[in-house]
Amino acid sequence: SVVFLPAHVISQINEIMLIIGGIILDKMGVRFTGMGACLLMVLGCGLKYYAISTTFAEGSTLLGMKTQVGLAALGYAIFGVGVEIAGITVSKIIVKWFKGKEMALAMGMEMATARLGTMLALAVTVPIATFFGITDDEGVFHPNIPAPLLLCLTMLCIGTVAFFIYTFYDKKLDASLEEGAEPEEPFRMKDIWLIVTNKGFWLIALLCVLFYSAVFPFLKYATDLMVQKYNVDPELAGTIPSLLPLGTLFLTPLFGNVYDRIGKGATLMIIGSVLLIFVHTMFALPVLNVWWFATIIMIILGIGFSLVPSAMWPSVPKIIPEKQLGTAYALIFWVQNWGLMGVPALIGFVLNEYCKGPVVDGMQTYDYTLPMWIFAGFGVAALFFALWLKGENKKKGYGLEEPNIKK
């Protein structure tokens, strides 16, 4: 309960600050907001490193928790706010630099780089802690837990310096854009109302939450699914689900390039949703319960997971004016986060209440058929909104089926 409370509070803080950050982004611009996000991440990571690497007096408390836990949670909350704001800032920066050019390719490369960073963070944490660990006088080995945090803090400082250098290039871009151009009307608080009353915005937001809810929560259970249904060795079971994020490193920029040059953004989202339905239906059906079939299906899911984001995120600037993009992206992330928070709890409840199998060798087994049908249902709903979005595009002329590159 001591760990859950900070995590719950952190989630609520991040949700509120994400929307505020979007408004600040539209009001103050990418340079101010981006530097603020970088400094928040450095401050949060630094505070967490201090908490983890410091020994506090026995019995000392902070916010009703042990001082070390309280400081670590506070640092993580500050870092999380910075991360969320940085994400929407980067999206607006890409639109600013690449609108009318290779915008979807740029966003695809940004997403691929971000996922590569996530994979590296998960891969190197334990080896670094082990490498810098020590063996005490009694021969007991102790990994150096603060070491990975120190590496992250160092990389965040490098990133902050890099963004500071970028601000000078951004300032030059603003100067070149302002030459001979009429000044754009500034963001006003009433623009929030214009966003939330835009049907196209809600179609994109709902497609986003439904699609991601059928992928990321699925990955939480995919390793156990490989063991329970496809009889994969537990030590190798994580290899098959890892193909999905690995594949998106290459496929998301590829499909983004297709959108830039050929168009068909709404169509790409429809195809991705159909693939999502197909994949979860195959996982639900009692057919070919062998590892190679699960591998093929996971690869198809990777294709679908690359298709939708590569078209969805670059489509937002075609629906929402650029001066409102920060707030719009923040609201979409906010809607998405509710799904990513609620769906794992739903699947966990369904597994515990309706899907328990016999206990084998002291381990509880589960039948994943019903959860897979639930994920397939999210895919059906995503397809519905993708088709609706294509119809709305035809009616309003958003240009989702047109190439991003303007000749």
Side-chain angles (χ1 to χ4, degrees):
S1 61
V2 171
V3 176
F4 173 76
L5 179 59
H8 179 70
V9 173
I10 288 168
S11 175
Q12 298 303 316
I13 292 173
N14 286 352
E15 293 301 320
I16 296 171
M17 290 304 300
L18 175 59
I19 298 174
I20 295 175
I23 296 172
I24 293 172
L25 175 57
D26 287 329
K27 289 285 287 184
M28 304 300 294
V30 298
R31 295 192 294 273
F32 175 87
T33 312
M35 279 305 303
C38 288
L39 294 174
L40 283 174
M41 288 188 287
V42 170
L43 174 62
C45 187
L47 184 58
K48 185 158 188 175
Y49 172 71
Y50 169 73
I52 299 299
S53 61
T54 304
T55 301
F56 297 91
E58 186 69 29
S60 62
T61 61
L62 176 69
L63 303 175
M65 298 169 280
K66 289 183 178 180
T67 301
Q68 187 177 49
V69 175
L71 280 176
L74 180 60
Y76 186 54
I78 295 172
F79 172 79
V81 171
V83 167
E84 295 277 18
I85 296 175
I88 59 176
T89 302
V90 168
S91 296
K92 187 163 183 175
I93 287 173
I94 291 174
V95 173
K96 183 177 181 180
W97 282 80
F98 291 94
K99 192 171 185 179
K101 303 172 185 175
E102 299 86 351
M103 182 170 61
L105 174 60
M107 285 193 173
M109 294 180 68
E110 180 270 327
M111 283 186 277
T113 306
R115 286 176 184 139
L116 179 62
T118 301
M119 290 173 62
L120 287 174
L122 294 172
V124 305
T125 299
V126 174
I128 289 176
T130 302
F131 181 80
F132 289 101
I134 58 172
T135 302
D136 61 22
D137 295 336
E138 297 179 357
V140 179
F141 179 76
H142 300 277
N144 190 333
I145 303 301
L149 282 171
L150 181 59
L151 174 63
C152 293
L153 179 59
T154 303
M155 295 179 70
L156 283 170
C157 290
I158 295 172
T160 301
V161 172
F163 189 84
F164 178 71
I165 295 172
Y166 159 79
T167 60
F168 294 96
Y169 291 95
D170 189 81
K171 194 171 183 179
K172 286 184 179 180
L173 177 64
D174 280 348
S176 66
L177 292 176
E178 288 171 0
E179 292 179 2
E182 295 184 6
E184 187 182 50
E185 185 180 348
F187 177 86
R188 304 180 189 280
M189 294 303 292
K190 68 178 183 180
D191 287 330
I192 301 174
W193 176 252
L194 297 178
I195 295 171
V196 299
T197 54
N198 186 325
K199 185 187 292 186
F201 163 79
W202 281 110
L203 292 175
I204 282 277
L206 292 172
L207 173 61
C208 174
V209 66
L210 288 165
F211 187 83
Y212 279 104
S213 293
V215 177
F216 285 123
F218 164 73
L219 287 177
K220 294 178 183 291
Y221 299 97
T223 300
D224 193 49
L225 172 68
M226 296 301 115
V227 176
Q228 305 270 10
K229 182 175 182 181
Y230 295 98
N231 301 311
V232 180
D233 189 306
E235 294 185 5
L236 301 175
T239 304
I240 297 176
S242 70
L243 294 174
L244 190 145
L246 182 62
T248 58
L249 294 179
F250 308 99
L251 292 176
T252 305
L254 174 64
F255 293 136
N257 192 41
V258 171
Y259 186 16
D260 285 329
R261 299 183 182 280
I262 300 176
K264 306 299 181 183
T267 302
L268 290 174
M269 288 184 263
I270 290 171
I271 295 172
S273 300
V274 171
L275 290 178
L276 188 68
I277 298 168
F278 171 76
V279 165
H280 288 306
T281 300
M282 289 299 100
F283 279 134
L285 294 176
V287 294
L288 293 174
N289 294 341
V290 289
W291 69 268
W292 59 264
F293 181 73
T295 303
I296 293 172
I297 296 302
M298 193 64 70
I299 291 172
I300 296 173
L301 178 60
I303 295 172
F305 186 47
S306 301
L307 275 169
V308 173
S310 66
M312 180 173 62
W313 297 114
S315 294
V316 177
K318 294 185 175 183
I319 297 174
I320 302 295
E322 190 171 339
K323 68 171 184 173
Q324 302 169 357
L325 271 181
T327 305
Y329 275 125
L331 288 169
I332 292 173
F333 277 41
W334 178 73
V335 173
Q336 172 190 298
N337 287 345
W338 279 106
L340 296 181
M341 181 175 62
V343 173
L346 170 64
I347 299 300
F349 171 78
V350 170
L351 282 170
N352 285 325
E353 291 294 322
Y354 305 107
C355 304
K356 281 185 177 180
V359 176
V360 179
D361 296 330
M363 294 186 64
Q364 178 67 56
T365 61
Y366 295 94
D367 179 359
Y368 279 89
T369 302
L370 181 56
M372 292 305 106
W373 283 121
I374 293 174
F375 286 131
F378 287 133
V380 171
L383 175 61
F384 170 77
F385 284 108
L387 290 169
W388 192 352
L389 180 63
K390 186 172 182 177
E392 191 71 10
N393 171 69
K394 189 174 182 180
K395 186 189 301 182
K396 298 290 180 64
Y398 293 134
L400 302 185
E401 295 289 272
E402 299 173 7
N404 294 319
I405 298 176
K406 303 298 182 184
K407 296 181 182 180

